[in-house]
Amino acid sequence: MEWLTSFFSDLQQSGPALWYGFSITLKVVVIATIGGIAIGTVLAMMRLSSIKIFNWIAQAYVDLFRSIPLLLVLMWFYFAVPFFYTAITGQYLTIDTALVSSIVAFMLFEAAYFSEIVRAGIQSIPKGQSAAAYALGMSYSQSMRLIILPQAFRKMTPLLLQQTIILFQDSTMVYAIGLLDFFRTNYVRGDLMSLLTQYILFAGLVYFTISALATFAVKRLQRRLSV
């Protein structure tokens, strides 16, 4: 059990670094989730629009990002974000390229999945709700904002949260572009201290525990909302 003792001894010293890595993971997940839901909502409304060009653009977007591996999308944006920033502004990107590209990549990638959830949620609302809103003199945007979307989001909240859990798990892929998230911080520390196996197992345990607890909470919320 000496390997376990040495790991826990080193874990106390590496705590601040691991917490910093975990904060980076949370930052990527939270911002990408909020942005992904916002973009996904717009895409869902475009998919449901009677205007053909909007429908086609949204469909093409969803099909494109659902057909490309997430790791490849991360690599693309890792090189694309600095390139386009420099081309537009004429200046070099001075902030953390890996962090910004990760957030942008996850946001746009997850928007394709969030849009399908939002679209299904909107379609689950009886059409009589829209008819009643129009009868009261509301416009399309008003009926969506005040009547349809609030009901739809209540129904699809568990699915949105479940997709966020998947995003949290997938966030470990930022290791490929060098972002010091929670997983990579554990890997670097373990490799440095010759405790790689222990730190990888610890990181896996943390991801598993958080995902399991979040999934349990989502299931309870789903049962409560279905009542």
Side-chain angles (χ1 to χ4, degrees):
M1 298 296 289
E2 183 178 350
W3 65 273
L4 192 59
T5 303
S6 59
F7 166 68
F8 280 114
S9 177
D10 187 71
L11 187 61
Q12 296 177 356
Q13 300 178 16
S14 63
L18 297 181
W19 175 250
Y20 174 78
F22 189 73
S23 69
I24 294 296
T25 295
L26 286 181
K27 184 180 296 185
V28 171
V29 172
V30 171
I31 297 177
T33 297
I34 295 173
I37 291 176
I39 298 172
T41 301
V42 174
L43 289 171
M45 295 179 70
M46 290 173 66
R47 286 284 303 275
L48 297 172
S49 173
S50 57
I51 302 176
K52 293 292 185 180
I53 186 63
F54 287 170
N55 192 292
W56 183 86
I57 292 174
Q59 180 69 57
Y61 182 99
V62 172
D63 290 343
L64 173 65
F65 278 96
R66 295 184 71 175
S67 303
I68 304 174
L70 176 56
L71 183 58
L72 186 58
V73 174
L74 279 169
M75 297 297 293
W76 280 355
F77 280 98
Y78 180 67
F79 294 105
V81 168
F83 175 79
F84 283 109
Y85 181 86
T86 303
I88 294 172
T89 65
Q91 300 175 351
Y92 289 105
L93 189 64
T94 56
I95 56 179
D96 191 341
T97 303
L99 177 60
V100 174
S101 59
S102 295
I103 292 174
V104 172
F106 274 113
M107 187 184 301
L108 297 180
F109 184 85
E110 292 298 329
Y113 292 87
F114 283 129
S115 70
E116 292 298 279
I117 297 174
V118 175
R119 184 168 68 93
I122 293 174
Q123 290 180 322
S124 70
I125 305 301
K127 293 184 178 180
Q129 298 279 351
S130 298
Y134 295 145
L136 292 173
M138 291 185 180
S139 64
Y140 174 78
S141 61
Q142 287 177 324
S143 66
M144 273 290 176
R145 187 175 71 255
L146 301 175
I147 305 297
I148 306 301
L149 286 178
Q151 296 181 71
F153 270 103
R154 184 179 184 275
K155 287 187 174 184
M156 61 193 176
T157 294
L159 291 177
L160 293 174
L161 292 176
Q162 193 64 50
Q163 187 63 36
T164 302
I165 296 172
I166 296 173
L167 169 57
F168 170 69
Q169 296 168 344
D170 289 344
S171 67
T172 55
M173 291 188 184
V174 299
Y175 172 86
I177 59 174
L179 181 62
L180 278 173
D181 69 323
F182 183 69
F183 176 76
R184 184 172 177 82
T185 303
N186 275 273
Y187 187 95
V188 171
R189 181 69 182 186
D191 190 40
L192 179 66
M193 304 304 296
S194 299
L195 296 168
L196 184 57
T197 301
Q198 293 91 319
Y199 270 97
I200 292 297
L201 289 174
F202 172 72
L205 179 62
V206 171
Y207 279 100
F208 170 78
T209 302
I210 293 175
S211 298
L213 291 175
T215 300
F216 175 75
V218 168
K219 288 181 178 179
R220 291 202 60 177
L221 177 63
Q222 190 171 18
R223 287 197 296 268
R224 179 174 297 181
L225 292 177
S226 63
V227 175

